[in-house]
Amino acid sequence: MSAKKVGSTGGHQAFRLHMVTWNVGTAEPPADVRSLLQLDSQPTTDLYVIGLQEVNATPVRYISDLIVEDTWSHLLMETLAPEGYIKVTSVRMQGLLLILFAKQVHLPFIRDIQSTYTRTGLFGYWGNKGGISVRFSFYGEMLCFLNCHLAAHMNYALQRMDEFEYILDTQEFDMFNTPQVLDHKVVFWFGDLNFRIADHGMHFLRSSINNSRFNLLWDRDQLSMLKKKEPILQEFEEGPLRFKPTYKFDRFSETYDTSGKKRKPAWTDRILWRIKPKATEIEDEKSSTASSADDDEFSVKVTQDMYTCDVSYGVSDHKPVIGTFNLEMRKKVETPLVALTVEGIWSADEDAIFTYTILENFESSTFDWIGLYKIGFKSASDYSTFAWVKDDEVAANGEVVMVQMNKNELPLLAGDYVLGYFSTNMQTLIAFSPNFQILESKRAVMEGLVQENINGLEK
């Protein structure tokens, strides 16, 4: 696990967050996204949050994606699952897609997941523009990720601002302590925000970019200009723009637009973050009957390690933007809600037994289930088989409940597996057993899945 103790901060731990925003221009994904995800970097990532815009959303395509994963989600899962990352949740609104992946070890502490969306395109009727968000509690701290695709074109900077404020005002969550986006401890706002570089002519823009003198363009970046006068923007932080403007490129090249339109380069694709201001926290505590546990100097600290674009990807006229962060925080929650224990030796030659115990009260349901997952699984729905929890009543706290899995449902071949408890109300896996091995079944030989071995010789 890459979460590491931070020496001088009294029990705080640092978690690595890797974020990507990419307007993919309705293109199919490239063959390989490993460099986009920086899978070989150290220390390893704990959470991946990927926001895409303009995912192919033609009506026929969109309907088919509701039944099966879209090609982008599929590629991301295929790439991340072998590295031990599980898709926790995703939300899609037309061309906007937001996906959260986490290391398995963190899943029991990612709770109260909710998502919502706001349409702003074409008078709010067709979701080609707008915002989608996912919120959750991470070891007890409230995080929210908001992926936006705002209005295009140079002259619409104020409309983009209006759309952002409209999204913040209208998005609501069914959570008493964080009913809106800005109620969360940390908010990440990212996406194709579509802000342009004003006033400068094409020649000055291109020579500044070619000479890597990006700082000459900063003061005419519309988002930076608005930040000086819009109080809500002043609460958000952003790293310095020390990378090429990410729009608009000829596809499969590192050359800016050579078409007749000759669009001016711009930093349309951005990642910003906001830590809830102290004043509003104190007000919240006064209105709450519970005393605050945040008596530390800080409860969450966000540090950006990298803010860049990857120009090697050419499927779209935008380049993807990558932001990596350290989230330094104290775990407010360290006990899983359920314990799962595998009993005896498992193989498909006999029914298998496991037990589960509710360790802490939560909104359990008779529709909760326990899945059997092969190590390297992609998401909660990627199970080999499953069993419902005790079906007549919800288990009591501390009660050890025994569950049987039918041998005919078990895998015939040997492999490494884990049991996961899925909460229907929380819509996520909230507990895992230790990893264990299922042995090869005698039936595997009978059904010709493996060769019979007699006296060391394969028959």
Side-chain angles (χ1 to χ4, degrees):
M1 177 177 157
S2 67
K4 57 183 187 296
K5 285 282 181 190
V6 180
S8 59
T9 53
H12 283 74
Q13 284 192 296
F15 300 92
R16 300 269 304 166
L17 165 66
H18 185 107
M19 293 182 66
V20 174
T21 177
W22 193 2
N23 180 325
V24 299
T26 72
E28 287 300 295
D32 191 334
V33 286
R34 284 187 70 86
S35 70
L36 185 69
L37 303 171
Q38 297 177 346
L39 283 168
D40 303 320
S41 67
Q42 290 296 327
T44 54
T45 299
D46 294 290
L47 298 176
Y48 280 97
V49 178
I50 293 145
L52 304 180
Q53 307 84 38
E54 291 192 28
V55 175
N56 193 329
T58 53
V60 172
R61 187 59 203 274
Y62 183 54
I63 290 160
S64 72
D65 283 351
L66 293 177
I67 302 158
V68 295
E69 296 286 352
D70 65 278
T71 49
W72 286 90
S73 297
H74 182 75
L75 174 66
L76 289 164
M77 289 197 293
E78 290 288 331
T79 306
L80 286 167
E83 307 288 335
Y85 296 97
I86 294 153
K87 189 188 89 166
V88 182
T89 191
S90 65
V91 55
R92 172 129 189 222
M93 179 187 77
Q94 240 66 30
L96 277 165
L97 179 64
L98 175 54
I99 320 179
L100 165 66
F101 292 88
K103 279 188 172 175
Q104 183 188 312
V105 70
H106 301 312
L107 258 71
F109 306 101
I110 296 175
R111 300 180 186 174
D112 302 320
I113 302 166
Q114 287 191 13
S115 58
T116 188
Y117 61 89
T118 305
R119 292 190 174 97
T120 57
L122 286 181
F123 312 104
Y125 288 114
W126 181 249
N128 59 335
K129 295 283 197 297
I132 56 177
S133 57
V134 167
R135 63 87 57 209
F136 55 93
S137 157
F138 184 60
Y139 290 97
E141 290 290 4
M142 307 301 164
L143 310 183
C144 184
F145 293 84
L146 171 60
N147 171 18
C148 290
H149 190 186
L150 303 181
H153 305 304
M154 178 73 76
N155 302 332
Y156 286 120
L158 291 175
Q159 185 179 336
R160 289 188 269 281
M161 192 63 221
D162 288 345
E163 287 181 351
F164 177 50
E165 292 187 321
Y166 174 72
I167 289 165
L168 290 178
D169 287 345
T170 55
Q171 291 206 344
E172 293 186 341
F173 302 103
D174 186 20
M175 301 295 300
F176 75 94
N177 55 352
T178 50
Q180 290 194 297
V181 171
L182 296 181
D183 296 323
H184 292 78
K185 188 58 184 258
V186 188
V187 175
F188 288 90
W189 172 39
F190 66 129
D192 179 358
L193 308 185
N194 248 324
F195 289 104
R196 307 302 167 104
I197 299 169
D199 304 331
H200 290 309
M202 185 68 89
H203 178 74
F204 182 78
L205 274 171
R206 293 209 166 173
S207 68
S208 301
I209 293 164
N210 290 340
N211 295 311
S212 297
R213 299 188 69 187
F214 306 125
N215 57 313
L216 297 179
L217 309 176
W218 289 348
D219 66 339
R220 306 315 294 163
D221 168 68
Q222 290 177 331
L223 182 54
S224 305
M225 290 160 71
L226 280 167
K227 214 172 174 184
K228 290 175 180 154
K229 54 187 181 187
E230 295 283 351
I232 186 63
L233 291 182
Q234 289 163 13
E235 295 180 5
F236 282 84
E237 294 182 61
E238 184 182 23
L241 299 164
R242 294 200 180 105
F243 52 88
K244 280 185 167 187
T246 50
Y247 174 82
K248 174 182 174 86
F249 286 85
D250 290 345
R251 289 178 192 244
F252 299 104
S253 81
E254 293 181 28
T255 307
Y256 285 103
D257 187 15
T258 57
S259 72
K261 290 182 178 175
K262 287 208 165 36
R263 294 253 189 247
K264 285 184 178 177
W267 285 292
T268 51
D269 310 282
R270 313 286 276 266
I271 303 174
L272 296 89
W273 71 96
R274 171 191 185 266
I275 295 180
K276 194 174 178 187
K278 274 279 181 276
T280 56
E281 287 215 327
I282 291 161
E283 283 166 28
D284 286 354
E285 281 162 25
K286 282 178 184 168
S287 64
S288 164
T289 51
S291 62
S292 168
D294 289 344
D295 48 9
D296 284 6
E297 183 186 347
F298 64 87
S299 62
V300 180
K301 187 176 174 186
V302 177
T303 315
Q304 189 171 53
D305 293 330
M306 178 190 291
Y307 192 29
T308 190
C309 71
D310 191 332
V311 293
S312 68
Y313 288 98
V315 296
S316 168
D317 54 0
H318 290 249
K319 300 299 184 187
V321 170
I322 298 166
T324 64
F325 298 87
N326 255 335
L327 301 184
E328 213 173 294
M329 50 187 267
R330 190 182 69 236
K331 289 179 178 178
K332 294 179 175 177
V333 179
E334 295 197 71
T335 310
L337 298 170
V338 178
L340 284 165
T341 308
V342 174
E343 304 289 340
I345 293 168
W346 282 40
S347 86
D349 297 326
E350 53 186 83
D351 293 346
I353 301 286
F354 67 89
T355 62
Y356 69 88
T357 309
I358 308 289
L359 301 179
E360 276 190 30
N361 283 327
F362 71 99
E363 210 180 325
S364 54
S365 156
T366 55
F367 290 104
D368 292 352
W369 44 269
I370 290 113
L372 174 68
Y373 296 93
K374 194 170 178 29
I375 298 301
F377 68 99
K378 301 180 189 78
S379 67
S381 57
D382 187 22
Y383 51 77
S384 303
T385 185
F386 74 94
W388 296 105
V389 299
K390 185 175 169 183
D391 57 1
D392 50 346
E393 58 182 284
V394 172
N397 233 4
E399 178 187 355
V400 178
V401 182
M402 189 173 284
V403 182
Q404 191 164 303
M405 272 191 176
N406 188 307
K407 64 184 179 184
N408 296 321
E409 302 285 324
L410 297 180
L412 296 177
L413 298 177
D416 293 320
Y417 286 82
V418 66
L419 293 173
Y421 185 112
F422 185 86
S423 161
T424 302
N425 287 320
M426 292 200 205
Q427 282 297 295
T428 187
L429 289 161
I430 59 168
F432 293 97
S433 71
N435 292 1
F436 65 101
Q437 194 170 37
I438 291 182
L439 303 182
E440 184 182 293
S441 160
K442 295 186 183 82
R443 284 164 51 208
V445 177
M446 289 161 53
E447 296 187 20
L449 295 172
V450 290
Q451 290 181 305
E452 193 171 357
N453 193 313
I454 300 174
N455 297 333
L457 298 170
E458 287 190 345
K459 189 176 170 183

